[in-house]
């Protein structure tokens, strides 16, 4: 339904429903912590996305039916072929048998793994999150150095309301 | 439910997301397609953990990575949309085609 609604707000909430179902299925699979984290994160994410939709979309409420897609037939063929290929692979692959039983507390297992053998993964994720914070602020700020000093960084220093740098 | 059933649902989510990412002109809708694709990856990783190797936490770590990727994709995507809209007042992929030149 996500890509069938005219209204962008309705599409956002359809996506939220789909991702809440993913979180619910994780809980069914025994991953309570990750399932609840997914549900909470997706709820907030989709709320932010709805705000951005209303800010940027030309038709957020779907009052004027319009299409904003391109190459629908080609994409449908690609996706149908991909799905068929994946289903054939899923049904024909010799999946290994389950080895062992799920631990009583998979969250503890995850924490011990992230703080032990998977520490490099955790460090990489932390650095990626930090880089994202910096990149998003740089992208979203209105007054970057090129805005203030020109494309060649050769314009006269602007009259900043508060002087930056050290020694203020 | 069996492993195959979970994986088929995950494949369906992934392919619907791929359809959105390939067809949508709006950058925000394109990001919604990417979110659906990552949702499929999360579901497949959870099913693989439960039905293949529940004693190791690798499947759970993959889910953490995918959830983080979703958050990063959305944050950077919105920042790029904000920067694009601020500089050229565009929010469609077709109108941003000149960026590739």
């Amino acid at each position: 339904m996500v890509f069938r609604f005219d209204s962008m707000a309705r599409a956002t909430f359809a996506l939220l429903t789909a991702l809440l179902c993913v979180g619910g299925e994780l809980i069914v699979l025994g991953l309570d912590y990750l399932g609840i984290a997914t549900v909470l994160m997706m709820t907030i994410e989709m709320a932010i996305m709805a705000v951005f939709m209303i800010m940027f979309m030309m038709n957020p409420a779907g009052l004027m039916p319009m299409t904003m897609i391109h190459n629908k037939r080609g994409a449908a063929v690609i996706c149908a072929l991909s799905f068929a290929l994946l289903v054939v692979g899923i049904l024909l692959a010799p999946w290994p048998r389950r080895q062992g039983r799920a631990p009583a507390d998979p969250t503890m297992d995850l924490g011990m793994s992230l703080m032990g053998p998977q520490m490099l993964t955790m460090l990489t994720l932390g650095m990626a999150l930090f880089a994202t914070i910096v990149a998003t602020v740089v992208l979203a700020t209105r007054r970057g150095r090129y805005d203030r000093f020109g494309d060649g960084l050769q314009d006269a220093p602007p009259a900043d309301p508060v002087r930056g740098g050290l020694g203020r | 439910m069996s492993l195959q059933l979970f994986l088929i649902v995950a494949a369906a989510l992934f392919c619907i997301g791929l359809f959105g990412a390939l067809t949508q002109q709006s950058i925000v809708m394109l990001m919604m397609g990417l979110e659906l694709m990552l949702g499929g990856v999360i579901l497949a990783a959870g099913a693989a953990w439960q039905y293949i190797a529940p004693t190791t936490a690798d499947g759970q770590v993959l889910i953490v990575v995918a959830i983080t990727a979703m958050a990063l994709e959305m944050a950077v995507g919105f920042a790029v949309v904000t920067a694009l809209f601020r500089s050229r007042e565009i929010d469609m992929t077709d109108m941003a085609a000149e960026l590739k030149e």
Side-chain angles (χ1 to χ4, degrees), chain A residues 49 102 118 140:
Chain A
M49 189 172 264
Q118 296 285 350

Side-chain angles (χ1 to χ4, degrees), chain A residues 146 149-155:
Chain A
Y146 292 102
F149 295 105
D151 290 341
L153 295 178
Q154 290 173 338
D155 292 356

Side-chain angles (χ1 to χ4, degrees), chain A residues 15-30:
Chain A
L15 178 63
L16 173 61
T17 310
L19 294 174
L20 289 184
C21 290
V22 170
E25 292 191 63
L26 285 182
I27 294 173
V28 169
L29 285 167

